[in-house]
Amino acid sequence: WKTTVFFLKVLPMLPSGALNWVTPRPVVERLSYPTQDGHAEGDVYRPNAGGPHPGMVVCLGVVPFGVDHPQVPRLGEALARSGFAALLYWSPSMRDRRLDPEDIDSIALATDWLLQQPYVDVKRSGLLGTCVGGSFALMAAAHPLIRDRVRFVGTFAPYASLSTLAVSIASETQATQRGREPWLVDPLTRAVYVRSLTSTLESDDAERLRTGFTEDGGSVNPDDLSEDAQLVLPLLRTLESDDAEAALCRLPVSIQERLARLSPMTCLEDIHAPLIVIGHDRDDAVIPVDESRRLTSALSGRAGVHYTEFGMFQHADPTKRKLPLPRLLYEFSKFYRYVFPLYRHTVRGS
């Protein structure tokens, strides 16, 4: 029942008005929670009756729209009507289209805060993330502050490693069983990639590279760059995959260490959550599907891991692709089965 409520409420093309009569209207609160940079404000969506409820910190990742986009409250309401107390976590760095390791600590702090709320059941709580938010949810779940209390991690279109993702972006290819094949990189992905890769450089270097590789008609003179910036420069151009891997190996050690800190693959053994749910669309242009396949392969043999591959979403958006009705119903059934383990797990409390 809870899975069905979420399924109908979160997908905008499905009729769900009748559910408003049989599920209580959620409580929506604007609250302050701790982060690495002090307190931040965020919205908590929770049922207004009963409890305590399973808690969930939702890491929305880098999104091209604002906090007032209609899909944001739709997600919060769907979670609350289906029984979750959900804190929607917005990262200032990700809204600036940058990936910052401090966000891992901030998500852990926010989760720790949510787990202390009287309306949350610690034994049935966890994290959910979309896009890079899914990767950060995985990394936060491995954080010593919360890893022994996180009971599940749900992800949609995460990346496994920033190094392998960088190779895909730089070469405009993705790994498949048949070898590397062309991959059309989304402009949002490239913008985040450029801003993140240059974030540790001196401000003048970072500005030159960002202007040169994210704006039409931009150009960069290597002689104007520092030594570290010159090592980053090749990765912002189009390379063969082997050349991209070699360029990554030539990066300054500090940048290589930062890429490793921002990669879920480096901390999978520290995730103690008994349930990990991963989903990805085969034609995703923001994060290539081989990233989720890598994660699933690395987690093979571990109990409680579920992976679902879709053919209906344009990077977590089900409204952009028009499918024949039989195919649409098939994809809907997969989405239902993708969500179901989270609800089964939290209802059983194990």
Side-chain angles (χ1 to χ4, degrees):
W1 165 247
K2 292 178 181 291
T3 304
T4 301
V5 170
F6 176 80
F7 174 81
L8 292 173
K9 293 301 295 184
V10 80
L11 294 175
M13 74 286 288
L14 296 180
S16 63
L19 289 174
N20 296 346
W21 295 94
V22 295
T23 58
R25 184 174 182 176
V27 174
V28 183
E29 296 179 293
R30 170 68 58 142
L31 297 172
S32 175
Y33 60 87
T35 71
Q36 281 290 97
D37 297 321
H39 277 73
E41 286 193 344
D43 292 325
V44 172
Y45 290 74
R46 62 182 177 87
N48 66 3
H53 310 284
M56 177 187 289
V57 173
V58 182
C59 309
L60 292 168
V62 180
V63 291
F65 46 76
V67 296
D68 57 348
H69 190 277
Q71 191 61 25
V72 174
R74 185 189 302 277
L75 173 62
E77 181 180 352
L79 288 169
R81 286 190 183 273
S82 59
F84 280 102
L87 168 64
L88 304 190
Y89 176 87
W90 290 92
S91 160
S93 298
M94 292 185 193
R95 293 179 69 181
D96 189 39
R97 303 192 176 187
R98 292 181 295 108
L99 305 185
D100 190 328
E102 285 194 359
D103 262 326
I104 302 168
D105 299 322
S106 291
I107 294 168
L109 285 169
T111 304
D112 179 61
W113 173 86
L114 183 65
L115 294 178
Q116 296 178 45
Q117 302 312 301
Y119 48 79
V120 169
D121 184 348
V122 177
K123 296 180 180 179
R124 297 188 291 150
S125 298
L127 298 122
L128 174 71
T130 59
C131 188
V132 299
S135 300
F136 276 75
L138 287 166
M139 292 183 285
H143 196 286
L145 179 65
I146 60 172
R147 65 187 174 201
D148 291 325
R149 290 178 289 162
V150 172
R151 307 308 298 161
F152 64 84
V153 188
T155 70
F156 196 100
Y159 67 84
S161 164
L162 267 190
S163 294
T164 56
L165 179 59
V167 171
S168 293
I169 295 169
S171 67
E172 298 182 352
T173 64
Q174 64 175 329
T176 71
Q177 293 180 341
R178 299 177 295 275
R180 300 203 71 90
E181 296 183 352
W183 176 56
L184 182 62
V185 183
D186 189 278
L188 176 63
T189 300
R190 185 165 294 282
V192 174
Y193 171 70
V194 172
R195 293 184 68 80
S196 299
L197 203 56
T198 59
S199 60
T200 61
L201 299 176
E202 295 293 332
S203 58
D204 289 346
D205 286 332
E207 185 61 29
R208 288 190 182 98
L209 291 173
R210 290 173 181 178
T211 300
F213 289 94
T214 59
E215 296 183 6
D216 291 338
S219 62
V220 176
N221 183 353
D223 295 335
D224 294 334
L225 301 174
S226 67
E227 183 177 346
D228 283 357
Q230 289 181 18
L231 294 174
V232 171
L233 176 61
L235 283 164
L236 305 183
R237 295 170 171 159
T238 303
L239 300 172
E240 295 294 328
S241 58
D242 290 344
D243 294 332
E245 292 176 0
L248 281 167
C249 293
R250 291 193 293 268
L251 287 174
V253 173
S254 60
I255 297 182
Q256 293 190 43
E257 291 176 346
R258 186 180 179 87
L259 295 180
R261 287 182 63 196
L262 287 166
S263 298
M265 288 287 278
T266 64
C267 64
L268 294 181
E269 292 184 357
D270 293 323
I271 299 176
H272 297 171
L275 176 68
I276 300 175
V277 176
I278 304 170
H280 214 122
D281 194 86
R282 287 188 295 274
D283 300 321
D284 200 313
V286 179
I287 304 289
V289 67
D290 73 275
E291 291 293 319
S292 280
R293 292 171 180 171
R294 290 176 191 272
L295 276 173
T296 305
S297 177
L299 292 165
S300 64
R302 173 172 171 163
V305 177
H306 299 259
Y307 175 58
T308 307
E309 208 161 281
F310 300 96
M312 68 175 279
F313 294 96
Q314 287 286 357
H315 193 63
D317 188 342
T319 65
K320 291 184 177 180
R321 181 173 293 169
K322 306 300 180 184
L323 298 176
L325 183 59
R327 173 75 182 279
L328 183 64
L329 294 175
Y330 172 66
E331 294 294 334
F332 277 166
S333 72
K334 287 200 296 184
F335 182 70
Y336 188 95
R337 295 195 301 272
Y338 160 72
V339 174
F340 182 75
L342 290 172
Y343 286 92
R344 179 180 58 191
H345 188 77
T346 53
V347 167
R348 291 180 177 178
S350 61

